[in-house]
Amino acid sequence: MSEDMSNGLDDIMAVLTGRIEARFGMSLDVLRKAVAARPAASPAATEVVIWHGRLVESQAELDRAEDALLAALDTQPSQVDDPALSLAYQVDAAVQIRDGRAMVLRFLLDPDAPQKQGLAAERLARLTRGSGTGPAVPAAAPPHSAAAVPSVPVAGRSVRR
């Protein structure tokens, strides 16, 4: 990873860490220990610590994927072969995952997020209060006759996450 990219990442992690520490009034290490000792004491703190950990994990996975891609590209002639292209797809998927986790963490830290106020917040609160009472959709699919379900081949590739 280039120095500019790692500095940008350090800045993002520093900003998010600073926001976490400002929100909870303690260092991230102290907050982690407090959450580990009593996770039910503050569900918001527990969720932030969990998502921060996920962000750190996804960044480490991205770093590994980028390193593998760079190593493969170093051995390539001018054309990129299928294995290197596959590694590029893994890097792209890792970036998407990392960015999504950063977005969730920013949302959790933003008390003024639109979804946390008004009618949307009330609906979300009602939904989460009812959690643990069973699935929101039926656990079993409705019965279908074999003739009613067409056979459609599924094409595509899967992305390891």
Side-chain angles (χ1 to χ4, degrees):
M1 183 182 316
S2 74
E3 186 174 329
D4 290 337
M5 288 177 66
S6 64
N7 286 340
L9 172 67
D10 291 342
D11 291 344
I12 292 168
M13 293 301 287
V15 167
L16 288 173
T17 300
R19 288 182 65 192
I20 291 168
E21 291 173 345
R23 165 97 186 272
F24 295 99
M26 61 184 76
S27 74
L28 186 58
D29 289 336
V30 171
L31 181 62
R32 280 190 196 116
K33 290 175 185 170
V35 164
R38 296 184 52 216
S42 173
T46 301
E47 195 168 21
V48 165
V49 167
I50 288 169
W51 279 98
H52 186 270
R54 290 175 180 167
L55 176 62
V56 170
E57 289 171 4
S58 61
Q59 181 58 49
E61 181 61 34
L62 174 58
D63 291 342
R64 285 188 293 273
E66 286 176 336
D67 291 345
L69 176 60
L70 290 173
L73 292 175
D74 283 343
T75 64
Q76 294 289 312
S78 61
Q79 283 184 279
V80 176
D81 62 6
D82 287 342
L85 189 58
S86 176
L87 291 171
Y89 286 130
Q90 288 178 9
V91 168
D92 183 54
V95 167
Q96 300 280 337
I97 292 168
R98 191 261 335 258
D99 290 352
R101 290 177 177 181
M103 286 174 39
V104 169
L105 192 53
R106 281 190 295 260
F107 171 79
L108 293 172
L109 293 170
D110 183 2
D112 298 324
Q115 297 85 349
K116 292 183 176 179
Q117 299 175 0
L119 185 58
E122 291 173 23
R123 286 180 181 164
L124 182 60
R126 280 195 304 261
L127 287 173
T128 56
R129 275 194 304 262
S131 64
T133 59
V137 295
H144 292 285
S145 68
V149 180
S151 174
V152 178
V154 177
R157 62 175 186 79
S158 63
V159 175
R160 189 187 88 188
R161 293 187 185 231

